[in-house]
Amino acid sequence: RRLSSLEAGPINTCSSALIGLGLSSLAVLINFTSIARAVTASMAANPNELEAKFTESIRKVELASRPVLKKEYECSARCASDTSLDSQGFQNCIQNCGKASQNVGAALNNEVNNFQNQVMSCMQSCENLVRAKLPADATSLPSALQQEADACASQCSQNGLALLPAMMERMMAVVARNK
């Protein structure tokens, strides 16, 4: 394998896409599964365990978030039904309805970004460690360096797994405060 297999392109691409598109809170809540895949895409060792646990955690948060979204939609429907509102009043009503889900989406997005950054920082350290030992004329990783890279990436995966419970607790607390 080439050294670039350790690089974090998919995660950075996913993060940039989320930020660049300015996704709504609903889209942020729904797109966590694709983020989970991006987080683990560059892991050389044991990505399935991290991806599975991350996806499971995010699914629980997404399900717990649905009442927040339901409340927003019901509130928006009441705005639409209120014929006494002028155009500006209607827009204000709709914006107020979405504040809780926007707050939840922003907080959850922040948690996921922090998680990604921690995993990526670890992976970057692995890459730097291997690059420092790589012969100048190498076009691929010698097997000893590949084993070292895999062990390091495996440790990053384990570190990511250890971060999930606290992240999950914080995310569920945000959802609970906004129900």
Side-chain angles (χ1 to χ4, degrees):
R1 275 187 268 174
R2 297 187 58 82
L3 183 60
S4 62
S5 68
L6 288 176
E7 293 175 4
I11 295 173
N12 293 335
T13 301
C14 184
S15 296
S16 297
L18 283 173
I19 293 166
L21 291 174
L23 294 176
S24 70
S25 55
L26 173 61
V28 169
L29 294 173
I30 292 172
N31 281 304
F32 282 132
T33 302
S34 63
I35 294 171
R37 286 189 191 104
V39 167
T40 59
S42 64
M43 294 286 182
N46 226 0
N48 293 334
E49 182 181 8
L50 180 58
E51 180 176 2
K53 299 262 185 187
F54 185 86
T55 301
E56 176 187 336
S57 296
I58 295 306
R59 176 155 168 66
K60 288 177 184 176
V61 172
E62 189 267 330
L63 289 173
S65 300
R66 287 184 185 179
V68 177
L69 296 172
K70 179 181 177 186
K71 191 169 137 182
E72 177 182 352
Y73 295 142
E74 289 170 344
C75 179
S76 295
R78 285 190 299 276
C79 294
S81 297
D82 188 347
T83 57
S84 69
L85 295 174
D86 63 6
S87 181
Q88 186 60 45
F90 174 72
Q91 290 301 317
N92 291 341
C93 184
I94 294 291
Q95 285 178 345
N96 287 334
C97 291
K99 283 185 180 177
S101 64
Q102 289 173 354
N103 291 340
V104 169
L108 299 183
N109 194 32
N110 186 49
E111 285 292 337
V112 169
N113 285 336
N114 287 340
F115 177 80
Q116 287 178 337
N117 290 339
Q118 289 177 336
V119 171
M120 292 314 307
S121 176
C122 184
M123 292 301 294
Q124 185 64 48
S125 295
C126 293
E127 181 181 343
N128 292 341
L129 178 73
V130 171
R131 279 189 192 266
K133 296 178 181 181
L134 191 65
D137 61 346
T139 58
S140 64
L141 285 176
S143 78
L145 280 180
Q146 183 62 55
Q147 289 175 356
E148 189 173 341
D150 288 348
C152 188
S154 181
Q155 185 59 53
C156 291
S157 182
Q158 293 304 309
N159 293 348
L161 287 169
L163 295 172
L164 286 176
M167 181 183 81
M168 180 72 171
E169 187 176 314
R170 288 188 303 272
M171 291 188 340
M172 292 301 265
V174 166
V175 171
R177 283 193 304 267
N178 286 281
K179 279 190 178 178

